[in-house]
Amino acid sequence: MTYDLIIRGARVVTGAEVVECDIGIREGRINALGQDLGPADEVIDATGLIALPGGIDSHVHIAQPSGPGIEMADDFASATRSAACGGNTTVMPFCLPEDGVTLRQAVNDYHAKADGQCHVDVSFHLIIKDTDAQTLGQDLPALFAAGYTSFKVFMTYAGLALSDREILDVMDVAKAHNAMVMVHAENEDAIEFLRDKAEASGNTGPVHHARTRPIPVEREATHRAISLAEIAGVPLTIVHVSNGAALEEITRARRRGLKVFAETCPQYITLTADDLDRAGFEGAKYVCSPPPRDSAEQAAIWAGLEQGDFDLFSSDHCPFRFADSAGKDAQGARATFRNIPNGIPGVETRLPILFSEGVMKGRITLPRFAAITATNHARLYGLAARKGAICVGADADIALWDPNLTKPIRQTDLHHGSDYTPWEGFEVTGWPVRTLLRGQTVAKDGEIVGAATGDYLSRSAPEFLI
Ligand code: DUC
Ligand code: ZN
Ligand code: ZN
């Protein structure tokens, strides 16, 4: 039997090894790995390239309600175009109910925004902001059963932050249904205290976003989230870990045998709080939570990546436009850091940054790169076997990388809806030059190919061992 496609001659990063072999693809799946596979309708000569599993970015925000007058810069079409050109084949955005809308209705509305628009596969996490009987007793169990098997809770942001009791109640439902709890760990009361003091002293510029969310704010909440999970008896994932002290809370808990998983992001290995202190209002371009720290904390995050303390490397893509009254830069309203929308674009640059800074600089191996950018995301969020690895039987979601291509990141080359990138001019070596989704090329040489063929992925229960 002929293959639909053979990718020939790449160095292939499988689950465990890097091997030179051909990849035979039939009906959208990887059918064989080996030599001399025989005839195919199409052959891609990948000599000199590296075949990695298509990236899974399990932490992105797309078209998420962001408050009165504020609009996220990406819809599903632009976000997934950007994802595909950055070597990704699956993204997992968060479904956030607007005030007065049930979780179930929010999921339906979010599907309506995504349907037919996506250039990569998508699957939704839920955000739990209401803990009423309808949400916890009915909507959440029904949604878990329907394949929405992970959700995020916030310990910060008025209107979103849950109390400790509420977090425990939500964790209890997760325990009953084997779902993954993701936590944004920052102490809202402490931030509010520091924010009031900063503003009273006239300290209102973007850098004060970072100064009012210092490391203890995150470290304490990380410790508390882990303790609550221990009390409730559930595994959890701490998302967007920015510093060594918070990571230490996680590694200590892991040593005690708790199932605590850790995620970090490009901003915590490449940006610092000084970026929020750039001249004029430029610092607003770097406002995200938790904030970037300093070079010592970057080193601590790198040590965690090198030593295997991090399971996930995600973008936390959360794009706003800069020169836009619906984005970062509104005269008056956003004149204090308190009102600057939190988040930065990064779904297209996540993988090139880690490949260049991690793999090419000898800090992490290719198999480790594959694990923290794809395989572990599939396992922890219920997509294992089908997604996240180049192995027989899996979807043929593959990114072909040129490890010798060096060029700076430029906003003009990117595909997101934001009008800037925080990494303008940042030089990287190694780019994904072709992305295949279920065996079909969806991006090539930095441009989208073909129509929006991304599917919605219903998920199984997470694997709590990776
Ligand atoms: N947390 C996120 O995960 N993303 C953007 C903003 C935030 O606070
Ligand atoms: Zn968060
Ligand atoms: Zn996020």
Side-chain angles (χ1 to χ4, degrees):
M1 241 218 290
T2 60
Y3 292 97
D4 299 331
L5 171 68
I6 289 180
I7 299 173
R8 191 163 283 162
R11 289 169 62 208
V12 180
V13 185
T14 70
E17 299 294 343
V18 183
V19 287
E20 212 152 293
C21 69
D22 298 346
I23 306 171
I25 294 163
R26 204 176 276 149
E27 292 178 359
R29 292 188 174 204
I30 297 169
N31 196 270
L33 298 175
Q35 312 292 348
D36 306 321
L37 293 181
D41 294 344
E42 185 190 353
V43 172
I44 294 175
D45 179 4
T47 309
L49 304 181
I50 297 171
L52 277 154
I56 300 178
D57 196 338
S58 63
H59 188 153
V60 301
H61 304 264
I62 301 172
Q64 188 176 296
S66 303
I70 301 175
E71 215 179 301
M72 217 163 248
D74 271 321
D75 57 17
F76 277 87
S78 59
T80 57
R81 273 198 291 270
S82 194
C85 290
N88 300 283
T89 49
T90 298
V91 295
M92 299 181 63
F94 292 85
C95 175
L96 170 67
E98 294 196 68
D99 287 346
V101 173
T102 68
L103 196 50
R104 231 196 257 242
Q105 185 57 45
V107 168
N108 293 341
D109 295 347
Y110 211 43
H111 272 291
K113 291 185 190 180
D115 281 355
Q117 302 298 310
C118 297
H119 293 264
V120 300
D121 287 351
V122 296
S123 192
F124 304 158
H125 305 290
L126 311 173
I127 291 176
I128 311 301
K129 71 188 237 281
D130 300 307
T131 57
D132 54 282
Q134 162 89 21
T135 303
L136 297 194
Q138 294 181 36
D139 286 3
L140 210 39
L143 288 164
F144 291 154
Y148 305 86
T149 55
S150 53
F151 60 85
K152 183 173 177 188
V153 294
F154 285 82
M155 299 170 87
T156 183
Y157 299 128
L160 263 187
L162 301 186
S163 70
D164 292 354
R165 170 61 196 257
E166 289 172 321
I167 292 174
L168 284 165
D169 285 337
V170 176
M171 286 177 167
D172 203 36
V173 183
K175 184 180 167 77
H177 297 272
N178 258 332
M180 175 63 90
V181 183
M182 310 161 77
V183 180
H184 178 133
E186 288 185 296
N187 180 323
E188 176 65 12
D189 280 348
I191 294 165
E192 193 51 32
F193 165 76
L194 293 170
R195 219 162 20 201
D196 284 348
K197 281 177 78 81
E199 285 178 338
S201 310
N203 294 323
T204 56
V207 73
H208 295 286
H209 171 80
R211 293 186 185 154
T212 55
R213 291 174 175 265
I215 287 172
V217 159
E218 183 182 345
R219 185 198 63 217
E220 183 279 331
T222 302
H223 180 90
R224 184 155 40 97
I226 293 169
S227 301
L228 296 175
E230 185 176 5
I231 291 161
V234 288
L236 88 164
T237 296
I238 305 287
V239 295
H240 48 47
V241 176
S242 75
N243 67 85
L247 180 59
E248 235 173 78
E249 297 293 340
I250 294 165
T251 53
R252 194 177 318 124
R254 280 153 82 118
R255 275 201 300 278
R256 290 199 294 116
L258 297 180
K259 290 201 172 109
V260 183
F261 303 99
E263 176 200 78
T264 194
C265 315
Q267 42 274 35
Y268 306 120
I269 52 171
T270 54
L271 305 178
T272 70
D274 288 346
D275 286 307
L276 282 79
D277 207 11
R278 292 192 186 203
F281 200 60
E282 281 285 298
K285 290 181 175 176
Y286 304 86
V287 166
C288 60
S289 295
R293 307 294 181 179
D294 60 22
S295 58
E297 299 307 327
Q298 289 182 351
I301 297 298
W302 270 120
L305 285 164
E306 290 167 17
Q307 290 158 20
D309 296 332
F310 284 107
D311 308 290
L312 303 166
F313 188 82
S314 309
S315 67
D316 196 2
H317 179 75
C318 187
F320 297 95
R321 290 171 57 80
F322 177 66
D324 193 325
S325 60
K328 298 275 189 183
D329 193 8
Q331 294 297 318
R334 317 257 201 284
T336 160
F337 66 91
R338 182 192 286 272
N339 297 327
I340 299 171
N342 270 232
I344 59 176
V347 71
E348 195 165 347
T349 45
R350 167 185 77 127
L351 297 174
I353 288 171
L354 186 67
F355 190 95
S356 185
E357 293 293 307
V359 176
M360 296 308 289
K361 293 192 175 170
R363 289 164 160 147
I364 58 170
T365 63
L366 278 167
R368 177 106 194 104
F369 177 88
I372 62 177
T373 60
T375 322
N376 291 350
H377 300 247
R379 289 189 175 148
L380 285 176
Y381 296 123
L383 291 170
R386 192 167 149 209
K387 296 287 184 187
I390 298 182
C391 62
V392 171
D395 282 0
D397 293 353
I398 297 166
L400 297 175
W401 285 72
D402 181 348
N404 298 312
L405 182 53
T406 298
K407 60 175 179 166
I409 291 171
R410 295 278 180 223
Q411 163 65 13
T412 47
D413 293 335
L414 301 178
H415 300 77
H416 57 212
S418 188
D419 56 355
Y420 75 97
T421 166
W423 289 280
E424 185 70 39
F426 188 96
E427 189 147 287
V428 304
T429 296
W431 284 89
V433 291
R434 189 162 182 158
T435 308
L436 295 100
L437 175 67
R438 283 176 267 106
Q440 300 294 322
T441 298
V442 292
K444 189 163 180 280
D445 298 324
E447 292 307 331
I448 279 292
V449 176
T453 55
D455 282 342
Y456 184 81
L457 304 171
S458 172
R459 290 177 286 121
S460 311
E463 284 179 14
F464 293 121
L465 288 175
I466 53 172

